[in-house]
């Protein structure tokens, strides 16, 4: 049975004090480069694994980060979590995950509870108001994902650009009466999509039928499909892919052909969109890269609270599949 290597073993072989080993591992800038390199080489050679609990007592850091998402049933957020987990693991951090179930009150409570157990929190697509977000940013190191707010670091996805690409595509096919099925009115992502929508509609002189809000779920699409068809539109733009799949199912039940009778687009590029029949035209959102970026922003903030606040935006891309075609 092997015996665990201790910090004293590293100190003895590197011929330095235990305190110097601790500083080399937790505050390397405080140790001369030659000494630091010798300590790190010995630690690697011996296979030393720092005691994270003990390090936390010294540094005040837990080695944990948290993320709060609105709905773990939505594959969009599981994609974000994949990016968060991958990047956190590279930085030797554990991730605590919580689901607010689209409840703003629960969202705030979860962040406050997590703040006692983690070094910082990633708040994904928050539904709480700006004042509440600022209060949470005072309570813990906070990074937003898919919400822009002055003074708070954020990992963003360019939904406005994605929506402009959708309208440009539909107009190029010949569509001029288009329905947009809104997601939650309080959602920053919905507002960004509407911003891109307004720009594209004005440029192309499209007859827009603005509908909703609808729940950003499969059931929301089932509810919206009949209402959209009653408006005699030739194309339907859904807030997200899951809603679009509900629309597709309801239209199939009614005998409405997609795309022969009406075109349909989603948003997010979930795996189900590529597998459904017909495969869904949608906008690819960089969910995994956004998760990685959020972790980088959080760790940068933890390392230097006085650094400039970063709000980095990732590009989106239209994916044309089989649910869009020229109008009949």
């Amino acid at each position: 049975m092997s015996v665990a290597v201790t910090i004293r073993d590293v100190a003895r072989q590197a011929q330095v004090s235990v305190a110097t080993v601790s500083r080399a591992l937790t505050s390397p800038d405080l140790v001369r480069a030659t000494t630091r390199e010798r300590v790190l080489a010995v630690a690697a050679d011996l296979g030393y694994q720092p005691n994270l609990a003990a390090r936390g007592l010294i540094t005040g850091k837990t080695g944990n980060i948290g993320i709060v998402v609105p709905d773990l049933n939505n594959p969009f957020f599981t994609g974000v979590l994949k990016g968060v987990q991958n990047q956190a693991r590279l930085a030797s951090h554990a991730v605590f995950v919580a689901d607010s179930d689209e409840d703003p009150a629960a969202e705030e409570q979860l962040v406050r509870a997590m703040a006692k157990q983690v070094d910082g929190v990633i708040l994904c697509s928050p539904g709480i108001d700006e004042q509440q977000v600022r209060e949470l940013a005072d309570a813990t190191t906070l990074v937003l994902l898919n919400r822009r707010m002055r003074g708070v670091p954020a990992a963003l996805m360019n939904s406005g650009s994605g929506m402009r690409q959708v309208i440009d595509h539909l107009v190029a096919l010949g569509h001029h009466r288009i329905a947009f099925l809104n997601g939650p009115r309080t959602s920053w992502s919905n507002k960004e999509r509407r911003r891109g929508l307004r720009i594209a509609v004005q440029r192309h002189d499209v007859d827009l039928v603005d509908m909703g809000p609808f729940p950003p779920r499969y059931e929301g699409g089932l509810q919206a499909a009949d209402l959209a068809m009653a408006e005699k539109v030739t194309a339907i733009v859904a807030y997200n892919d899951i809603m679009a799949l509900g629309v597709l199912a309801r239209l199939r039940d009614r005998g409405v052909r997609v795309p022969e009778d009406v075109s349909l687009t989603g948003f997010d590029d979930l795996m189900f969109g590529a597998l459904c029949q017909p495969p869904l035209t949608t906008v690819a959102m960089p969910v995994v890269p956004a998760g990685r970026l959020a972790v980088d922003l959080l760790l940068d903030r933890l390392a230097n609270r006085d650094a400039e606040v970063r709000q980095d935006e990732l590009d989106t891309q239209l994916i044309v599949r089989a649910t869009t075609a020229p109008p009949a």
Side-chain angles (χ1 to χ4, degrees):
M1 181 176 176
S2 61
V3 178
V5 177
T6 69
I7 193 170
R8 295 185 182 279
D9 297 326
V10 176
R12 188 180 304 113
Q13 184 154 329
Q15 299 181 328
V16 295
S17 68
V18 169
T20 298
V21 174
S22 178
R23 283 194 297 271
L25 296 174
T26 61
S27 302
D29 292 343
L30 301 180
V31 182
R32 284 189 306 176
T34 54
T35 303
R36 181 175 67 246
E37 291 169 5
R38 185 166 78 252
V39 169
L40 294 178
V42 169
D45 186 55
L46 294 179
Y48 173 64
Q49 296 294 324
N51 184 320
L52 295 180
R55 178 186 290 187
L57 293 175
I58 298 170
T59 65
K61 297 290 193 298
T62 65
N64 305 322
I65 62 176
I67 178 170
V68 177
V69 300
D71 183 7
L72 280 174
N73 285 326
N74 187 334
F76 175 90
F77 296 113
T78 56
V80 169
L81 284 175
K82 185 177 182 64
V84 168
Q85 292 273 20
N86 290 347
Q87 200 69 5
R89 185 167 58 247
L90 292 176
S92 300
H93 278 65
V95 179
F96 293 1
V97 181
D99 181 349
S100 70
D101 199 28
E102 302 277 2
D103 181 352
E107 193 171 67
E108 183 176 15
Q109 292 167 3
L110 287 167
V111 173
R112 292 191 182 279
M114 273 190 172
K116 303 171 184 177
Q117 307 172 65
V118 300
D119 299 327
V121 177
I122 297 167
L123 185 52
C124 191
S125 301
I128 55 178
D129 64 34
E130 182 169 332
Q131 180 59 36
Q132 290 172 301
V133 173
R134 295 201 181 281
E135 290 173 0
L136 293 177
D138 289 337
T140 187
T141 302
L142 190 71
V143 167
L144 302 177
L145 194 150
N146 244 19
R147 173 90 173 260
R148 189 192 301 274
M149 189 175 298
R150 186 165 50 85
V152 183
L156 306 166
M157 291 173 260
N158 196 338
S159 295
S161 170
M163 186 58 75
R164 291 194 297 273
Q165 293 174 57
V166 167
I167 300 302
D168 289 348
H169 168 65
L170 292 174
V171 170
L173 290 174
H175 295 277
H176 291 284
R177 184 166 172 81
I178 300 171
F180 175 57
L181 311 182
N182 282 272
R185 290 291 190 192
T186 59
S187 162
W188 181 84
S189 293
N190 192 70
K191 292 174 184 175
E192 285 296 292
R193 288 169 204 191
R194 287 178 59 82
R195 182 175 61 82
L197 184 67
R198 286 195 302 271
I199 293 171
V201 163
Q202 291 170 3
R203 183 169 67 237
H204 294 298
D205 195 25
V206 165
D207 184 8
L208 178 69
V209 181
D210 203 7
M211 307 186 69
F214 299 100
R217 298 172 178 168
Y218 185 83
E219 294 78 12
L222 295 175
Q223 174 190 354
D226 291 333
L227 300 175
M229 290 308 297
E231 295 290 341
K232 307 297 183 183
V233 298
T234 62
I236 300 172
V237 177
Y239 168 75
N240 63 12
D241 282 358
I242 293 182
M243 188 188 291
L245 294 178
V247 172
L248 188 62
R250 178 58 184 155
L251 295 181
R252 185 183 301 117
D253 289 345
R254 288 187 50 179
V256 177
R257 300 170 302 165
V258 176
E260 292 86 354
D261 299 325
V262 65
S263 287
L264 174 67
T265 70
F267 221 100
D268 291 344
D269 192 28
L270 304 181
M271 178 180 67
F272 304 114
L275 298 178
C276 69
Q277 286 300 320
L280 183 66
T281 295
T282 186
V283 173
M285 297 280 274
V287 290
V288 174
R292 294 196 190 105
L293 173 60
V295 172
D296 286 342
L297 294 175
L298 183 59
L299 296 180
D300 287 350
R301 195 71 174 162
L302 289 168
N304 184 3
R305 293 282 299 182
D306 297 325
E308 182 181 355
V309 172
R310 290 172 52 194
Q311 296 184 333
D312 295 355
E313 190 168 61
L314 303 174
D315 290 333
T316 54
Q317 180 64 51
L318 177 70
I319 306 296
V320 177
R321 296 195 180 107
T323 57
T324 50

